[in-house]
């Protein structure tokens, strides 16, 4: 990653901060992302748009502090951003996504909201966390739960990618060494089934083995099994989300951040084609 790369947080802060006179407003990247943090309180939604099913989280980071504080009074989130999804997508194709849904509270208060956090894994959408009757500071109440579940989802996919790398590396070794390596790895890689959908895109011909993806100054190559390779070593591999988090310096959903170099299309658009095509 180069020193000039602008992170998602930089871009969202630019979009949130009024530009100086005569300077064109910077684009919000990736379009059409919205920032919940940083944002003015009056812009934080307490209801979903009529044409939205939920908000897929694309970037999240907490403020680093050891002192516990009331999130109603003290900011807990440094970044929370997402993209509205128009309808509920298939969970298997969106495996690893974390979605926030906003519901009216039981008493119908217009300035309060019930917030539900869902995760796509094991072929279904699962409710992972729920908070009731929060105000516009709900992102600060939710940030720890969001981070916890994103870490778990990202780790599962990363372990799957590492297992694929082990299998490929074992194929280059003498049989006895290969068998020993696989025995050792099998005891550690306990989340091998938690893959993301990049392998499905490869299987459908929407992404080709050897395609290069880019985010800022960082590139990676799509390899067999839908694994991203970022270096020459046998284990210099990662996943769409885990590697995006490295680039951004926060937990991230890389489907909305990585773009295929040959046509500048975001991986999210290619994933949508898998669903609609």
């Amino acid at each position: 990653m180069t020193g000039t790369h602008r992170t998602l947080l930089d871009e969202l802060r630019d979009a949130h901060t009024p530009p100086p006179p005569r300077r064109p407003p910077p684009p919000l990247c990736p379009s059409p992302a919205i920032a919940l943090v940083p944002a003015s309180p009056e812009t934080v939604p307490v209801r979903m748009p009529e044409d939205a099913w939920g908000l897929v989280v694309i970037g999240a980071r907490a403020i680093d502090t050891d002192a516990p504080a009331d999130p109603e009074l003290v900011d807990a989130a440094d970044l929370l951003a997402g993209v509205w999804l128009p309808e509920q997508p298939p969970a298997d194709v969106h495996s690893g996504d974390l979605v926030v849904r906003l519901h009216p509270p039981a008493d119908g208060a217009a300035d309060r909201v019930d917030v539900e956090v869902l995760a796509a894994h094991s072929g279904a959408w699962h409710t992972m966390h729920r908070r009731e009757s929060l105000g516009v500071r709900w992102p600060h109440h939710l940030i720890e739960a969001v981070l916890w579940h994103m870490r778990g989802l990202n780790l599962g996919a990363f372990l799957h990618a590492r297992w694929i790398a082990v299998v490929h590396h074992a194929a280059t070794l003498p049989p006895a060494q290969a068998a020993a390596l696989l025995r050792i790895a099998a005891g550690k890689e306990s989340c091998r089934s938690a893959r993301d959908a990049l392998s499905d895109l490869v299987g459908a011909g929407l992404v080709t083995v050897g395609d290069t993806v880019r985010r800022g100054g960082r590139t990676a190559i799509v390899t067999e099994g839908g694994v991203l390779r970022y270096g020459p070593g046998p284990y210099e591999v990662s996943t769409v989300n885990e590697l995006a988090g490295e680039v951004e310096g926060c937990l991230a959903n890389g489907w909305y951040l990585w773009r295929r170099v040959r046509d500048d299309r975001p991986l999210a658009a290619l994933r949508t084609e898998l669903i609609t095509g």
Side-chain angles (χ1 to χ4, degrees):
M1 181 172 57
T2 66
T4 59
H5 170 61
R6 294 177 53 72
T7 67
L8 175 64
L9 181 57
D10 293 329
E11 293 163 348
L12 290 170
R13 277 180 171 156
D14 274 357
H16 173 61
T17 305
R22 285 180 249 191
R23 176 186 165 197
L28 181 63
C29 182
S31 177
I34 68 163
L36 302 169
V37 179
S40 302
E42 63 271 14
T43 68
V44 176
V46 292
R47 297 291 186 273
M48 294 191 295
E50 291 185 4
D51 58 351
W53 171 74
L55 184 85
V56 59
V57 178
I58 64 167
R61 184 167 61 208
I63 292 175
D64 190 12
T65 177
D66 294 328
D70 182 356
E72 198 63 29
L73 303 173
V74 179
D75 288 355
D78 183 49
L79 168 68
L80 187 60
V83 172
W84 290 113
L85 298 175
E87 57 189 21
Q88 180 175 338
D92 54 346
V93 179
H94 278 249
S95 181
D97 280 7
L98 198 73
V99 167
V100 172
R101 301 193 71 209
L102 307 178
H103 306 283
D107 62 6
D111 60 344
R112 312 299 286 179
V113 61
D114 291 353
V115 187
E116 180 185 18
V117 178
L118 300 98
H121 67 86
S122 304
W125 288 99
H126 302 269
T127 297
M128 311 302 293
H129 190 78
R130 189 177 180 104
R131 292 290 302 275
E132 296 181 349
S133 194
L134 297 176
V136 294
R137 291 187 60 81
W138 65 260
H140 298 284
H141 288 266
L142 266 289
I143 188 64
E144 289 300 333
V146 166
L147 294 175
W148 175 265
H149 294 298
M150 285 186 77
R151 286 191 194 103
L153 293 166
N154 289 0
L155 177 61
F158 177 72
L159 290 178
H160 176 76
R162 291 277 292 187
W163 172 253
I164 292 175
V166 167
V167 171
H168 287 171
H169 184 47
T172 68
L173 301 175
Q177 292 182 31
L181 175 62
L182 291 173
R183 278 197 303 272
I184 294 170
K188 296 180 178 180
E189 309 297 337
S190 59
C191 298
R192 296 197 296 272
S193 64
R195 63 182 179 85
D196 60 30
L198 190 55
S199 59
D200 295 327
L201 268 66
V202 172
L206 293 168
V207 173
T208 303
V209 170
D211 272 346
T212 300
V213 295
R214 175 186 291 125
R215 170 64 182 170
R218 188 73 171 266
T219 60
I221 296 172
V222 179
T223 64
E224 292 181 12
V227 173
L228 293 182
R229 181 171 295 281
Y230 59 86
Y235 300 116
E236 290 183 288
V237 297
S238 193
T239 62
V240 170
N241 289 348
E242 188 71 15
L243 192 56
E246 251 186 67
V247 174
E248 299 299 323
C250 66
L251 289 174
N253 185 320
W255 288 94
Y256 297 86
L257 302 174
W258 294 107
R259 305 183 80 90
R260 186 166 58 184
V261 169
R262 63 182 165 96
D263 56 8
D264 200 38
R265 295 187 68 193
L267 289 183
L270 298 168
R271 185 172 65 171
T272 299
E273 272 193 38
L274 183 64
I275 299 170
T276 60

